[in-house]
Amino acid sequence: MMKPTKAAARILLYGIMIFYALSIILPLIIMLSTSFKSNAEIFNNPFGLPEKFNFDAYTSLFIISNYGRYFLNSIGVTVISLAVAVTVSALASYAISKYHFKYNRAIYVFFVIGLFIPIKLGTVDIMLTMLNLKIFDTLWALIIVYIAMAIPLSVFILYDYIKMIPDELSSAARIDGCSEPGIFARIIVPLVKPGLAAAGIISFIPNWNEFWFPLVLIKSREHFTIPLATGQLFGQFDTKLNLVFAVLSLASVPVIIIYLLLSSYFVKGLSAGAVKG
Amino acid sequence: MLQAQKKHARFLFMFIFPAFIIYTVFMLLPILNSMKYSLYSGDGLIPDTFVGLDNYVKLFTEERYFSKFWNALGNNIKFFLIVTFIQNILGFFMAVFVTRSFKGNKFMRKLSFLPTTLSVLVVGFIFKLILNPYYGVFDKVLEAVGLGKFIIPWLGDPRSALIIVSIAVSWQFFGESVLFYSSGIDGIDDSILEAARIDGANIWHEIIHIILPSVLPIVGIVTILIFIGDFTQFDIVYAMTGYRGDPGYSTDLMGSLFYRTAFATTERGGWGTGMGAAVATMMFIIVTLGVGILLAFFNKKKEDMTK
């Protein structure tokens, strides 16, 4: 038997939690369920679930608006930029965590300071640079910017992972005549796979959702990424509400699914960063 | 740790170089170069005439420029204060609740981070649709529970628009604060909490004397990250009130001002690339100053607490 105050505290706690959970879930449910409704239904039955699931909005997005193309663009940009960023960050983290030389600390700080530098503020120069390099309005412009953006966080995460690998392994390999790049590829990389995954997964979300740089650097429709398509199409579909909600659902559902599948990575990676910082 | 020798120097250089060069050329140099461009002016896209501090003089002495600048800065300060209140203070209490043991706390911690995974743009659009005066669900709910007389055009009224925009951003990133604070609270030694509870400490005592001092460094980090994010925020304004920060520039923030002035055509509010670069430089100064002040403040707080 609980004391009455204890019971009241419990009820209050559950009350707060239910309210909090609903405040998160309801907007997303509204978004998804509206995307399956007809326009008349949106006005007449705003709260209820759709009478029947009607996929018209989605089929027309893929057929009329070339949505498959935007998805491929986004996937390509994200995969290439994160793969490159994690690879070059792993190499750099290995050098600054496993070799003792004069500037270890300075180079580490130099990279990590990027966590606090808003790259947006350099956009004027980035735009002019991309024009000079003749890659303005191509996906390469985005890929390069996104690699740079992901490096500070990747170094910050990978440095800790690589530091934890015992030195005996690489010393033994060195005695056996293994080269330095060989040690990195054969010993460090296999052992630090969870770290590589963590770095990639944590950078995935900001990368996938990034809207500012496509807005400034991409002009042609065939190079739109999902966030840019979302921003541009939202205004055009003003009168077709189910299409608008379908556009938003398409931009969010893949990310939500990936988060639910990999949530332990997010929580671990981010918490470690917070506590260490 | 391997003492680097001469024969390793080549490898060290090879390992560090790729990350170093991409990061320097596409992240650090652009900010410095933008500062350089703020000293130039030009009719075309590329500012090519050196004008010294002329852009800055214009920015602070000509009304068409300074009225927009101070307006955006003022809005941005209000925006930051509202977001800080919700994310930092309410987020802290939510983390205290979420870390207590109850059925479903694992699920709640997972769920709380979910909005953070969405794009700011999508969140802005969802809120805009829910608040729409014709078909938005929010007003219909208010009518249904008899609060219909309080309905105003939420995003069309300069008194409420900025507050709504701030709430939308806070809704999205609330879970990030909860996650950071929760992991700080998880790190507190259970025996300390146990001892306090045996001594009859209630939850207030726990929060004031144990939890808050332990997570103070995290409060500092979260505040600094919110500060940087808020003073460069653009997506939410674009999505909810358009790139001019409607109604009547009441939701214009530094980020939307920068976008308009640097990248829009003159008829859409552009000021030319050189002026845009000057706005970006001012933003960089504001962010750097702000982060410096916050760092000093939290370091001092930490010293006061350890005395």
Side-chain angles (χ1 to χ4, degrees):
Chain A
M1 195 50 203
M2 278 201 274
K3 278 189 278 185
T5 51
K6 265 232 156 109
R10 282 275 118 180
I11 291 166
L12 182 69
L13 182 66
Y14 278 111
I16 291 170
M17 287 305 148
I18 289 166
F19 175 79
Y20 184 29
L22 287 177
S23 76
I24 295 169
I25 296 168
L26 280 178
L28 301 176
I29 299 275
I30 292 170
M31 170 181 81
L32 265 176
S33 91
T34 314
S35 71
F36 294 111
K37 289 177 180 178
S38 65
N39 258 12
E41 215 185 330
I42 292 171
F43 281 91
N44 304 331
N45 170 25
F47 305 124
L49 289 171
E51 285 158 27
K52 60 174 183 22
F53 279 86
N54 121 21
F55 283 87
D56 295 359
Y58 291 93
T59 45
S60 66
L61 279 184
F62 276 92
I63 292 163
I64 304 163
S65 306
N66 210 356
Y67 240 72
R69 180 66 195 252
Y70 308 145
F71 262 105
L72 287 179
N73 289 345
S74 263
I75 292 168
V77 168
T78 298
V79 169
I80 297 172
S81 60
L82 289 183
V84 175
V86 170
T87 307
V88 297
S89 302
L91 282 164
S93 307
Y94 171 59
I96 51 190
S97 69
K98 287 294 180 195
Y99 291 89
H100 190 71
F101 61 110
K102 210 163 140 190
Y103 304 111
N104 292 65
R105 188 88 207 131
I107 293 180
Y108 175 73
V109 170
F110 176 78
F111 277 121
V112 171
I113 204 116
L115 289 170
F116 300 97
I117 293 177
I119 186 173
K120 225 180 239 177
L121 301 183
T123 313
V124 168
D125 180 58
I126 289 173
M127 180 181 77
L128 299 176
T129 306
M130 297 304 170
L131 284 163
N132 281 336
L133 294 172
K134 304 274 188 290
I135 52 172
F136 182 80
D137 194 22
T138 69
L139 294 175
W140 292 110
L142 292 182
I143 288 169
I144 292 174
V145 173
Y146 290 173
I147 294 169
M149 273 168 102
I151 286 174
L153 189 59
S154 304
V155 170
F156 181 72
I157 291 168
L158 287 165
Y159 178 86
D160 287 351
Y161 273 93
I162 296 175
K163 205 156 181 67
M164 283 191 290
I165 296 173
D167 286 341
E168 288 76 15
L169 293 167
S170 23
S171 311
R174 226 168 249 125
I175 291 161
D176 291 341
C178 188
S179 69
E180 300 301 315
I183 289 172
F184 176 79
R186 289 198 203 107
I187 295 171
I188 304 290
V189 169
L191 286 174
V192 84
K193 273 196 184 129
L196 300 172
I201 289 167
I202 289 174
S203 296
F204 164 77
I205 294 218
N207 180 309
W208 180 264
N209 290 328
E210 217 284 326
F211 172 67
W212 169 272
F213 282 105
L215 185 68
V216 173
L217 299 175
I218 301 290
K219 299 290 166 233
S220 325
R221 235 176 198 226
E222 73 258 32
H223 301 314
F224 279 12
T225 56
I226 290 287
L228 187 59
T230 307
Q232 304 286 21
L233 295 177
F234 187 90
Q236 289 175 17
F237 294 155
D238 250 0
T239 49
K240 305 192 185 98
L241 283 179
N242 57 348
L243 270 185
V244 170
F245 282 99
V247 165
L248 298 184
S249 303
L250 276 180
S252 348
V253 172
V255 192
I256 292 175
I257 291 170
I258 288 174
Y259 167 67
L260 293 176
L261 290 174
L262 302 170
S263 63
S264 59
Y265 273 102
F266 286 99
V267 174
K268 261 204 275 264
L270 286 165
S271 313
V275 175
K276 187 183 134 185
Chain B
M1 198 77 146
L2 175 77
Q3 187 59 45
Q5 297 146 3
K6 276 262 167 6
K7 66 170 185 190
H8 293 134
R10 190 165 53 101
F11 292 115
L12 271 178
F13 179 78
M14 255 173 39
F15 288 153
I16 294 173
F17 185 74
F20 187 89
I21 201 81
I22 299 171
Y23 166 68
T24 308
V25 171
F26 290 99
M27 193 154 176
L28 300 180
L29 282 182
I31 291 184
L32 295 175
N33 281 333
S34 293
M35 291 179 185
K36 186 193 79 186
Y37 283 124
S38 75
L39 306 175
Y40 286 77
S41 182
D43 294 333
L45 200 53
I46 301 166
D48 48 9
T49 322
F50 182 78
V51 292
L53 292 175
D54 201 28
N55 287 329
Y56 294 94
V57 173
K58 271 200 212 144
L59 183 60
F60 291 109
T61 57
E62 288 184 29
E63 195 190 350
R64 63 186 169 136
Y65 297 125
F66 74 69
S67 62
K68 295 279 185 299
F69 180 86
W70 293 119
N71 169 60
L73 184 58
N75 289 341
N76 221 136
I77 292 169
K78 282 182 217 156
F79 173 72
F80 170 68
L81 292 175
I82 299 170
V83 173
T84 303
F85 170 76
I86 299 176
Q87 263 185 252
N88 247 338
I89 302 179
L90 301 183
F92 172 80
F93 284 109
M94 189 55 83
V96 172
F97 294 137
V98 167
T99 48
R100 307 206 82 77
S101 55
F102 62 91
K103 249 201 188 60
N105 68 349
K106 278 241 171 4
F107 167 77
M108 277 311 297
R109 290 173 80 160
K110 197 178 268 202
L111 184 68
S112 68
F113 193 70
L114 187 70
T116 307
T117 65
L118 304 173
S119 86
V120 181
L121 195 70
V122 166
V123 170
F125 284 143
I126 294 175
F127 271 79
K128 187 178 178 175
L129 291 163
I130 288 175
L131 292 165
N132 185 290
Y134 302 104
Y135 49 77
V137 176
F138 186 71
D139 288 0
K140 289 199 162 76
V141 171
L142 287 185
E143 270 164 17
V145 296
L147 297 171
K149 62 174 184 296
F150 294 108
I151 293 175
I152 54 169
W154 306 106
L155 288 171
D157 189 323
R159 288 167 309 173
S160 58
L162 184 62
I163 298 169
I164 299 282
V165 169
S166 313
I167 291 173
V169 168
S170 308
W171 177 84
Q172 163 147 33
F173 293 113
F174 194 74
E176 208 157 48
S177 310
V178 172
L179 175 88
F180 281 169
Y181 293 145
S182 302
S183 55
I185 295 171
D186 287 340
I188 298 171
D189 199 339
D190 286 338
S191 59
I192 300 174
L193 285 169
E194 282 303 316
R197 282 175 197 160
I198 290 165
D199 291 342
N202 63 20
I203 184 145
W204 276 114
H205 281 126
E206 248 179 73
I207 290 172
I208 301 291
H209 296 291
I210 301 168
I211 297 178
L212 196 54
S214 322
V215 300
L216 193 78
I218 300 180
V219 178
I221 289 179
V222 169
T223 310
I224 287 169
L225 289 174
I226 293 175
F227 182 84
I228 297 170
D230 280 4
F231 277 84
T232 53
Q233 178 56 258
F234 162 78
D235 300 15
I236 200 78
V237 179
Y238 182 92
M240 293 181 82
T241 52
Y243 70 101
R244 274 192 307 273
D246 292 333
Y249 297 102
S250 66
T251 56
D252 197 19
L253 302 178
M254 297 306 290
S256 44
L257 178 82
F258 170 44
Y259 173 74
R260 232 183 17 255
T261 55
F263 306 108
T265 53
T266 315
E267 18 332 324
R268 299 183 69 197
W271 293 350
T273 323
M275 280 299 280
V279 172
T281 308
M282 287 315 300
M283 286 168 76
F284 188 76
I285 293 169
I286 292 165
V287 168
T288 313
L289 274 177
V291 170
I293 292 167
L294 288 170
L295 273 175
F297 172 79
F298 281 101
N299 278 335
K300 191 170 169 345
K301 269 263 178 287
K302 203 161 87 189
E303 279 166 25
D304 293 349
M305 283 204 164
T306 47
K307 263 176 201 157

